[in-house]
Amino acid sequence: MVESRNGVSRNRLTPRNSLCFLFFLFLAVPIAPSSSSREWDGVIVTQADYQALLAIRSELVDPHGVLRSWNGSALGACSGGWAGIKCAQGQVIVIQLPWKGLGGRISEKIAQLGALRRLSLHDNSLTGVVPQSLGFLPYLRGVHLFNNRLLGSVPPSLGNCPLLQALDLRNNLLSGPIPPAIANSTKLMRLDLSSNSLTGSIPVGLTRSPSIAFLALERNNLSGPIPDSWGGVGNSTYLLTTLTLDHNRISGSIPPSLGKLGLLQKLSMSHNQIGGAIPDELGRLSRLRELDLSFNSVNGSLPASFPNMSSLVVLNLEGNQLRGLLPDALDRLLNLSMLNLSNNKFQGKIPSTIGNMSSISKLDLSENNFTGEIPSSLQNLANLNSFNVSYNNLSGPVPSRLSEKFNASSFVGNIQLCGYSSSTPCPNSPPPQSSISPSAEPSMGSRKRKLTTKDIILIAAGILLAILLVLCCIVLCCLFRKKAAAKKKNGKPPASTAISEKAGSSGMEVESGGDAGGKLVHFDGPFVFAADDLLCATAEIMGKSSYGTAYKATLEDGHQVAVKRLREKTTKSQKEFENEVAVLGRIRHPNLLALRAYYLGPKREKLLVFDYMPKGSLASFLHARGPETSIDWPTRRRIAIGVARGLNHLHTQENMVHGNLTSSNVLLDEQVNAHIADYGLSRLMSGGAATMVATAGALGYAAPELSKTKKPTNKTDVYSLGVIVLELLTGKSPSEGTSGRDLPQWVASLVKEEWTTEVFDLELMRDATAIGDELLNTLKLALHCVDPSPTSRPEVQEVLQQLEEIMPEASAEPGNEGTEVPAPMVE
Ligand SMILES: *[C@@H]1O[C@H](CO)[C@@H](O)[C@H](O)[C@H]1NC(C)=O
Ligand SMILES: *[C@@H]1O[C@H](CO)[C@@H](O)[C@H](O)[C@H]1NC(C)=O
Ligand SMILES: *[C@@H]1O[C@H](CO)[C@@H](O)[C@H](O)[C@H]1NC(C)=O
Ligand SMILES: *[C@@H]1O[C@H](CO)[C@@H](O)[C@H](O)[C@H]1NC(C)=O
Ligand SMILES: *[C@@H]1O[C@H](CO)[C@@H](O)[C@H](O)[C@H]1NC(C)=O
Ligand SMILES: *[C@@H]1O[C@H](CO)[C@@H](O)[C@H](O)[C@H]1NC(C)=O
Ligand SMILES: *[C@@H]1O[C@H](CO)[C@@H](O)[C@H](O)[C@H]1NC(C)=O
Ligand SMILES: *[C@@H]1O[C@H](CO)[C@@H](O)[C@H](O)[C@H]1NC(C)=O
Ligand SMILES: *[C@@H]1O[C@H](CO)[C@@H](O)[C@H](O)[C@H]1NC(C)=O
Ligand SMILES: *[C@@H]1O[C@H](CO)[C@@H](O)[C@H](O)[C@H]1NC(C)=O
Ligand SMILES: *[C@@H]1O[C@H](CO)[C@@H](O)[C@H](O)[C@H]1NC(C)=O
Ligand SMILES: *[C@@H]1O[C@H](CO)[C@@H](O)[C@H](O)[C@H]1NC(C)=O
């Protein structure tokens, strides 16, 4: 990785409280603007900071010479010359040197850097202790020292940092107790102390913190019970979304107050020594997606409120002492994908309603005391790819589709279960239990003595038959395994993908950085981060548009997001802006790029945070690929349908015009599914800017009437959709190679001259015999969309409906038609 030393401050923010918008630019981005605008307020570092930096350098071990740039006079330190240093007004505010192979210790002199906001030295080989003196830094917000070899204890002094938002010390060699004072930081949002050797119990203060959203203490040596004071005393909303305490030596029982954490999405307590019953209050966790209590000593039965945790995706209760019947209404857990109840004492019948839980992909009920038959409704679980009911007390035949799909090891250990392998055939009629009971064998033995010749012949024949049977078995088994393996290969994606796709419902808001006047608001999404994490993320420019600049930002924890920095002067006033952006943040559709958060800086700078789309835009996917990469028709038609679906949702559900739909605004995820971007952004712009934006930039995609009306409508969107479909069919970009005419005119002229087949992308013609009609019908539809007269154009619902009729396969699940695709290009 080549990291540029030029941290470019692209904003004119001045004072100490708002200066951290310092995206590092990668040299690898060729189109990054020349790092000109270095408008530092003070270039010369203060003497105190200069001395502190020299002291820090002297205690670090630097095998790769990263700190060689920390040389010379105080002149260079703040002007971008010293690696990993960011300043404001001559004071160091950021030290950011991850993955640099640094050893040695972090000097206590670091406290002389009075303006330090962020210390990020993760993924090095640092030893020694976490400096106690960090507690003297009043502006410290982020401490990221994970993946090092730090020793000693977590300094209690960190609790004195009034602005501390993120403390990440995971995966070090820290010992001693968690200092209760840590909970005194009222801005602390993310605390990760996992994978150390911390001892003692969980401080009560942490359970009452109104600011912590992410608390990870797993893989330590913590003991004692979990305090029962979660959610504090009142009933205000607590922000905790993730709580992981697994792999410790925690005892006691599950505290009922956990039920107060209304935003909790993940709760893991596995591999501890927790006993007692599951409290009824847990049923209140309606946002909980992942519950792992495995390998404890939890007893009692599942509380009646259990099915109220309706967002559950993963439920693992393996290896406990749970007993009793499963609740009748488990099937209300409609999103449950993995259910592992293995190794408990559950009894009674397997509820047939499990067959209604269509998302289930993994179901493990092994090593319990379930009785009765396996309900045939389980055959309906189309996504089921892992199933185990072994070692129970089940009886009767295994439903045929289950016995075909899963091998004997999913069913063994149920003496009265039959039909799952050739050695356990079911009798034709429902068996009278005695006939197959093992008690028949001894009586046979007792008759052995009085053998006649006839008997001997019969026995010999029997033995021969048995040998033949065994041989048959072996051959069948082999065939069966192959089949099962083949099935596995073609199986569904694993549960984990499902987790990340399914987001919780409504918006949770985290306001932070009140100190700086900055404000970060999250909508629902897969993860949370602090404002500083965002502002100091490593970023590269992806492109610029009339709305502003888009960056790909990598957060400290490795998550990638797309950040759009809006042009400051052109947006609406703050109140209007917030109203509008809240609307955008609620829009969720698989073909619309999700807005996850926004940030308002103290100087009116506005950042929007979206999902990052690794395959870039449709424009570069189509037009900037290598000559040997082809894109087949199934991929193209899936993109076309995706764009139509996204636009249909915008028009019909959100009552929103896009106004700037182009192939550069259609982004592709890892599976090459289309996500429309930039919808609704014009609503964030002030009047004049909004219309300017709406009509600019869409050259080639803008309907002809726009030049007069200047007002985008549903019909101008349909025109743009038509151009995109033409682009997919012809492989041509609307801006080039069509001899002066725009793409619709060019296509129309060829069709008129009956050279229709000349229109299509050459690659598509290879399979044209198979898909010819589909291509022609799609072409007709696209030409209908780009009709010069707006009233003649269809509505997007009609377009979608016709596309789905023309391309029935594309309406189904995205297949594995993975074409080799080019890397996304930077625009
Ligand atoms: C100081 O560091 C800069 C940047 O790495 C380097 O170009 C320069 O030669 C160094 N000067 C000395 C005296 O080491
Ligand atoms: C935390 O803050 C409170 C007052 O806000 C103070 O009384 C207490 O001593 C502090 N705790 C620690 C451990 O510093
Ligand atoms: C945890 O504590 C126990 C007993 O105090 C000790 O034997 C064990 O080595 C500790 N484990 C770790 C990982 O520190
Ligand atoms: C807590 O909630 C209860 C009922 O849900 C309500 O009566 C009470 O006033 C609330 N308390 C506070 C402090 O908001
Ligand atoms: C459940 O566990 C608790 C605590 O470990 C224990 O006191 C209680 O006796 C157990 N109950 C049953 C029915 O085993
Ligand atoms: C489940 O939730 C519903 C609605 O929120 C509530 O009426 C019901 O009492 C809950 N059930 C249990 C057993 O807590
Ligand atoms: C759930 O499953 C049961 C038994 O298989 C069936 O009778 C019932 O109609 C199903 N309910 C729904 C809502 O599908
Ligand atoms: C349930 O847990 C056991 C033990 O971790 C594991 O072997 C099994 O694969 C799990 N079942 C599923 C369906 O993941
Ligand atoms: C299993 O359940 C049956 C009744 O359903 C009960 O008689 C038996 O004792 C249970 N076995 C165990 C080991 O709990
Ligand atoms: C199996 O169930 C029968 C009754 O249904 C019971 O008598 C027997 O104890 C159970 N076996 C086990 C191992 O629990
Ligand atoms: C089912 O569970 C049993 C016992 O836990 C285990 O031995 C077996 O390998 C499992 N089979 C499958 C297919 O996971
Ligand atoms: C289940 O997942 C779907 C799709 O992700 C989501 O829309 C729905 O809200 C989820 N249901 C619950 C109860 O969480």
PDB file of all heavy atoms in Angstrom, residues 271 294-295 316 318-319 338-342 361-366 386-388, ligand 8:
ATOM      1  N   HIS A 271     -19.609 -19.619  25.961  1.00  0.00           N
ATOM      2  CA  HIS A 271     -18.384 -20.074  26.623  1.00  0.00           C
ATOM      3  C   HIS A 271     -18.100 -19.318  27.913  1.00  0.00           C
ATOM      4  O   HIS A 271     -17.055 -18.711  28.089  1.00  0.00           O
ATOM      5  CB  HIS A 271     -17.185 -19.970  25.673  1.00  0.00           C
ATOM      6  CG  HIS A 271     -17.293 -20.898  24.496  1.00  0.00           C
ATOM      7  ND1 HIS A 271     -16.806 -22.173  24.507  1.00  0.00           N
ATOM      8  CD2 HIS A 271     -17.849 -20.738  23.283  1.00  0.00           C
ATOM      9  CE1 HIS A 271     -17.053 -22.756  23.360  1.00  0.00           C
ATOM     10  NE2 HIS A 271     -17.690 -21.910  22.586  1.00  0.00           N
ATOM     11  N   SER A 294     -24.428 -20.069  23.843  1.00  0.00           N
ATOM     12  CA  SER A 294     -23.956 -21.454  23.797  1.00  0.00           C
ATOM     13  C   SER A 294     -22.860 -21.734  24.821  1.00  0.00           C
ATOM     14  O   SER A 294     -22.140 -20.841  25.263  1.00  0.00           O
ATOM     15  CB  SER A 294     -23.452 -21.784  22.390  1.00  0.00           C
ATOM     16  OG  SER A 294     -22.389 -20.946  22.047  1.00  0.00           O
ATOM     17  N   PHE A 295     -22.769 -22.994  25.194  1.00  0.00           N
ATOM     18  CA  PHE A 295     -21.747 -23.484  26.126  1.00  0.00           C
ATOM     19  C   PHE A 295     -21.720 -22.717  27.445  1.00  0.00           C
ATOM     20  O   PHE A 295     -20.749 -22.099  27.827  1.00  0.00           O
ATOM     21  CB  PHE A 295     -20.362 -23.486  25.461  1.00  0.00           C
ATOM     22  CG  PHE A 295     -20.331 -24.377  24.259  1.00  0.00           C
ATOM     23  CD1 PHE A 295     -20.390 -23.849  22.976  1.00  0.00           C
ATOM     24  CD2 PHE A 295     -20.292 -25.748  24.408  1.00  0.00           C
ATOM     25  CE1 PHE A 295     -20.405 -24.673  21.867  1.00  0.00           C
ATOM     26  CE2 PHE A 295     -20.316 -26.583  23.299  1.00  0.00           C
ATOM     27  CZ  PHE A 295     -20.365 -26.051  22.022  1.00  0.00           C
ATOM     28  N   ASN A 316     -28.198 -19.271  18.910  1.00  0.00           N
ATOM     29  CA  ASN A 316     -27.373 -20.422  19.281  1.00  0.00           C
ATOM     30  C   ASN A 316     -27.466 -20.652  20.784  1.00  0.00           C
ATOM     31  O   ASN A 316     -26.993 -19.853  21.583  1.00  0.00           O
ATOM     32  CB  ASN A 316     -25.917 -20.173  18.870  1.00  0.00           C
ATOM     33  CG  ASN A 316     -25.076 -21.426  19.001  1.00  0.00           C
ATOM     34  OD1 ASN A 316     -25.550 -22.453  19.506  1.00  0.00           O
ATOM     35  ND2 ASN A 316     -23.832 -21.359  18.557  1.00  0.00           N
ATOM     36  N   GLU A 318     -26.675 -23.808  22.005  1.00  0.00           N
ATOM     37  CA  GLU A 318     -26.034 -25.105  22.128  1.00  0.00           C
ATOM     38  C   GLU A 318     -25.324 -25.303  23.468  1.00  0.00           C
ATOM     39  O   GLU A 318     -24.771 -24.364  24.040  1.00  0.00           O
ATOM     40  CB  GLU A 318     -25.001 -25.243  21.008  1.00  0.00           C
ATOM     41  CG  GLU A 318     -24.392 -26.609  20.994  1.00  0.00           C
ATOM     42  CD  GLU A 318     -23.239 -26.718  20.028  1.00  0.00           C
ATOM     43  OE1 GLU A 318     -22.943 -25.743  19.332  1.00  0.00           O
ATOM     44  OE2 GLU A 318     -22.636 -27.803  19.993  1.00  0.00           O
ATOM     45  N   GLY A 319     -25.324 -26.540  23.945  1.00  0.00           N
ATOM     46  CA  GLY A 319     -24.508 -26.893  25.094  1.00  0.00           C
ATOM     47  C   GLY A 319     -24.949 -26.253  26.381  1.00  0.00           C
ATOM     48  O   GLY A 319     -24.124 -25.706  27.124  1.00  0.00           O
ATOM     49  N   MET A 338     -30.339 -19.269  11.399  1.00  0.00           N
ATOM     50  CA  MET A 338     -29.637 -20.374  12.045  1.00  0.00           C
ATOM     51  C   MET A 338     -30.216 -20.625  13.428  1.00  0.00           C
ATOM     52  O   MET A 338     -30.337 -19.716  14.232  1.00  0.00           O
ATOM     53  CB  MET A 338     -28.165 -20.052  12.180  1.00  0.00           C
ATOM     54  CG  MET A 338     -27.485 -21.136  12.972  1.00  0.00           C
ATOM     55  SD  MET A 338     -25.778 -20.811  13.271  1.00  0.00           S
ATOM     56  CE  MET A 338     -25.631 -21.377  14.935  1.00  0.00           C
ATOM     57  N   LEU A 339     -30.582 -21.863  13.668  1.00  0.00           N
ATOM     58  CA  LEU A 339     -31.132 -22.255  14.962  1.00  0.00           C
ATOM     59  C   LEU A 339     -30.348 -23.458  15.460  1.00  0.00           C
ATOM     60  O   LEU A 339     -30.402 -24.529  14.872  1.00  0.00           O
ATOM     61  CB  LEU A 339     -32.619 -22.605  14.819  1.00  0.00           C
ATOM     62  CG  LEU A 339     -33.340 -23.125  16.069  1.00  0.00           C
ATOM     63  CD1 LEU A 339     -33.297 -22.092  17.181  1.00  0.00           C
ATOM     64  CD2 LEU A 339     -34.788 -23.472  15.756  1.00  0.00           C
ATOM     65  N   ASN A 340     -29.580 -23.276  16.521  1.00  0.00           N
ATOM     66  CA  ASN A 340     -28.781 -24.373  17.061  1.00  0.00           C
ATOM     67  C   ASN A 340     -29.182 -24.617  18.517  1.00  0.00           C
ATOM     68  O   ASN A 340     -28.846 -23.839  19.400  1.00  0.00           O
ATOM     69  CB  ASN A 340     -27.295 -24.025  16.955  1.00  0.00           C
ATOM     70  CG  ASN A 340     -26.418 -25.227  17.225  1.00  0.00           C
ATOM     71  OD1 ASN A 340     -26.890 -26.238  17.755  1.00  0.00           O
ATOM     72  ND2 ASN A 340     -25.150 -25.125  16.863  1.00  0.00           N
ATOM     73  N   LEU A 341     -29.910 -25.691  18.743  1.00  0.00           N
ATOM     74  CA  LEU A 341     -30.351 -26.046  20.095  1.00  0.00           C
ATOM     75  C   LEU A 341     -29.644 -27.313  20.557  1.00  0.00           C
ATOM     76  O   LEU A 341     -30.049 -27.927  21.550  1.00  0.00           O
ATOM     77  CB  LEU A 341     -31.868 -26.269  20.111  1.00  0.00           C
ATOM     78  CG  LEU A 341     -32.739 -25.127  19.622  1.00  0.00           C
ATOM     79  CD1 LEU A 341     -34.216 -25.506  19.682  1.00  0.00           C
ATOM     80  CD2 LEU A 341     -32.513 -23.879  20.459  1.00  0.00           C
ATOM     81  N   SER A 342     -28.604 -27.680  19.840  1.00  0.00           N
ATOM     82  CA  SER A 342     -27.909 -28.934  20.090  1.00  0.00           C
ATOM     83  C   SER A 342     -27.467 -29.064  21.550  1.00  0.00           C
ATOM     84  O   SER A 342     -27.159 -28.067  22.213  1.00  0.00           O
ATOM     85  CB  SER A 342     -26.686 -28.960  19.166  1.00  0.00           C
ATOM     86  OG  SER A 342     -25.812 -29.966  19.526  1.00  0.00           O
ATOM     87  N   SER A 361     -31.685 -21.745   7.339  1.00  0.00           N
ATOM     88  CA  SER A 361     -30.728 -22.472   6.513  1.00  0.00           C
ATOM     89  C   SER A 361     -29.959 -23.503   7.339  1.00  0.00           C
ATOM     90  O   SER A 361     -29.484 -24.483   6.810  1.00  0.00           O
ATOM     91  CB  SER A 361     -29.769 -21.498   5.829  1.00  0.00           C
ATOM     92  OG  SER A 361     -29.000 -20.833   6.787  1.00  0.00           O
ATOM     93  N   LYS A 362     -29.821 -23.262   8.636  1.00  0.00           N
ATOM     94  CA  LYS A 362     -29.142 -24.232   9.500  1.00  0.00           C
ATOM     95  C   LYS A 362     -30.039 -24.554  10.684  1.00  0.00           C
ATOM     96  O   LYS A 362     -30.462 -23.648  11.398  1.00  0.00           O
ATOM     97  CB  LYS A 362     -27.827 -23.662  10.011  1.00  0.00           C
ATOM     98  CG  LYS A 362     -26.784 -23.463   8.949  1.00  0.00           C
ATOM     99  CD  LYS A 362     -25.518 -22.918   9.578  1.00  0.00           C
ATOM    100  CE  LYS A 362     -24.548 -22.389   8.546  1.00  0.00           C
ATOM    101  NZ  LYS A 362     -24.045 -23.396   7.636  1.00  0.00           N
ATOM    102  N   LEU A 363     -30.278 -25.825  10.885  1.00  0.00           N
ATOM    103  CA  LEU A 363     -31.144 -26.260  11.977  1.00  0.00           C
ATOM    104  C   LEU A 363     -30.481 -27.429  12.674  1.00  0.00           C
ATOM    105  O   LEU A 363     -30.281 -28.478  12.076  1.00  0.00           O
ATOM    106  CB  LEU A 363     -32.506 -26.667  11.398  1.00  0.00           C
ATOM    107  CG  LEU A 363     -33.566 -27.157  12.380  1.00  0.00           C
ATOM    108  CD1 LEU A 363     -33.890 -26.080  13.404  1.00  0.00           C
ATOM    109  CD2 LEU A 363     -34.842 -27.547  11.634  1.00  0.00           C
ATOM    110  N   ASP A 364     -30.086 -27.228  13.917  1.00  0.00           N
ATOM    111  CA  ASP A 364     -29.403 -28.288  14.670  1.00  0.00           C
ATOM    112  C   ASP A 364     -30.171 -28.556  15.963  1.00  0.00           C
ATOM    113  O   ASP A 364     -30.183 -27.724  16.870  1.00  0.00           O
ATOM    114  CB  ASP A 364     -27.964 -27.851  14.973  1.00  0.00           C
ATOM    115  CG  ASP A 364     -27.115 -29.016  15.465  1.00  0.00           C
ATOM    116  OD1 ASP A 364     -27.700 -30.062  15.852  1.00  0.00           O
ATOM    117  OD2 ASP A 364     -25.875 -28.896  15.469  1.00  0.00           O
ATOM    118  N   LEU A 365     -30.835 -29.697  16.024  1.00  0.00           N
ATOM    119  CA  LEU A 365     -31.608 -30.078  17.210  1.00  0.00           C
ATOM    120  C   LEU A 365     -30.993 -31.316  17.861  1.00  0.00           C
ATOM    121  O   LEU A 365     -31.627 -31.967  18.692  1.00  0.00           O
ATOM    122  CB  LEU A 365     -33.065 -30.368  16.821  1.00  0.00           C
ATOM    123  CG  LEU A 365     -33.817 -29.262  16.076  1.00  0.00           C
ATOM    124  CD1 LEU A 365     -35.203 -29.735  15.664  1.00  0.00           C
ATOM    125  CD2 LEU A 365     -33.940 -28.012  16.938  1.00  0.00           C
ATOM    126  N   SER A 366     -29.753 -31.623  17.474  1.00  0.00           N
ATOM    127  CA  SER A 366     -29.161 -32.891  17.912  1.00  0.00           C
ATOM    128  C   SER A 366     -28.928 -32.926  19.416  1.00  0.00           C
ATOM    129  O   SER A 366     -28.893 -31.895  20.090  1.00  0.00           O
ATOM    130  CB  SER A 366     -27.839 -33.118  17.177  1.00  0.00           C
ATOM    131  OG  SER A 366     -26.918 -32.110  17.520  1.00  0.00           O
ATOM    132  N   SER A 386     -28.210 -27.213   6.199  1.00  0.00           N
ATOM    133  CA  SER A 386     -27.557 -27.974   7.251  1.00  0.00           C
ATOM    134  C   SER A 386     -28.632 -28.378   8.248  1.00  0.00           C
ATOM    135  O   SER A 386     -29.424 -27.537   8.685  1.00  0.00           O
ATOM    136  CB  SER A 386     -26.482 -27.097   7.901  1.00  0.00           C
ATOM    137  OG  SER A 386     -26.104 -27.613   9.146  1.00  0.00           O
ATOM    138  N   PHE A 387     -28.686 -29.671   8.568  1.00  0.00           N
ATOM    139  CA  PHE A 387     -29.804 -30.192   9.348  1.00  0.00           C
ATOM    140  C   PHE A 387     -29.282 -31.321  10.212  1.00  0.00           C
ATOM    141  O   PHE A 387     -28.525 -32.168   9.752  1.00  0.00           O
ATOM    142  CB  PHE A 387     -30.883 -30.698   8.385  1.00  0.00           C
ATOM    143  CG  PHE A 387     -32.097 -31.271   9.064  1.00  0.00           C
ATOM    144  CD1 PHE A 387     -32.988 -30.449   9.736  1.00  0.00           C
ATOM    145  CD2 PHE A 387     -32.360 -32.641   9.019  1.00  0.00           C
ATOM    146  CE1 PHE A 387     -34.116 -30.984  10.356  1.00  0.00           C
ATOM    147  CE2 PHE A 387     -33.483 -33.173   9.632  1.00  0.00           C
ATOM    148  CZ  PHE A 387     -34.361 -32.342  10.301  1.00  0.00           C
ATOM    149  N   ASN A 388     -29.646 -31.329  11.497  1.00  0.00           N
ATOM    150  CA  ASN A 388     -29.166 -32.396  12.374  1.00  0.00           C
ATOM    151  C   ASN A 388     -30.175 -32.653  13.488  1.00  0.00           C
ATOM    152  O   ASN A 388     -30.472 -31.775  14.286  1.00  0.00           O
ATOM    153  CB  ASN A 388     -27.801 -32.002  12.974  1.00  0.00           C
ATOM    154  CG  ASN A 388     -27.025 -33.202  13.447  1.00  0.00           C
ATOM    155  OD1 ASN A 388     -27.602 -34.270  13.700  1.00  0.00           O
ATOM    156  ND2 ASN A 388     -25.719 -33.034  13.590  1.00  0.00           N
TER     157      ASN A 388
HETATM  158  C1  LIG B   8     -24.200 -26.090  16.441  1.00  0.00           C
HETATM  159  O1  LIG B   8     -23.059 -25.995  17.237  1.00  0.00           O
HETATM  160  C2  LIG B   8     -22.153 -27.082  17.085  1.00  0.00           C
HETATM  161  C3  LIG B   8     -21.062 -26.877  18.032  1.00  0.00           C
HETATM  162  O2  LIG B   8     -20.474 -25.627  17.839  1.00  0.00           O
HETATM  163  C4  LIG B   8     -21.619 -27.132  15.703  1.00  0.00           C
HETATM  164  O3  LIG B   8     -20.772 -28.260  15.555  1.00  0.00           O
HETATM  165  C5  LIG B   8     -22.742 -27.235  14.768  1.00  0.00           C
HETATM  166  O4  LIG B   8     -22.248 -27.154  13.468  1.00  0.00           O
HETATM  167  C6  LIG B   8     -23.714 -26.094  15.023  1.00  0.00           C
HETATM  168  N1  LIG B   8     -24.797 -26.251  14.138  1.00  0.00           N
HETATM  169  C7  LIG B   8     -25.001 -25.426  13.160  1.00  0.00           C
HETATM  170  C8  LIG B   8     -26.202 -25.679  12.343  1.00  0.00           C
HETATM  171  O5  LIG B   8     -24.242 -24.492  12.945  1.00  0.00           O
END
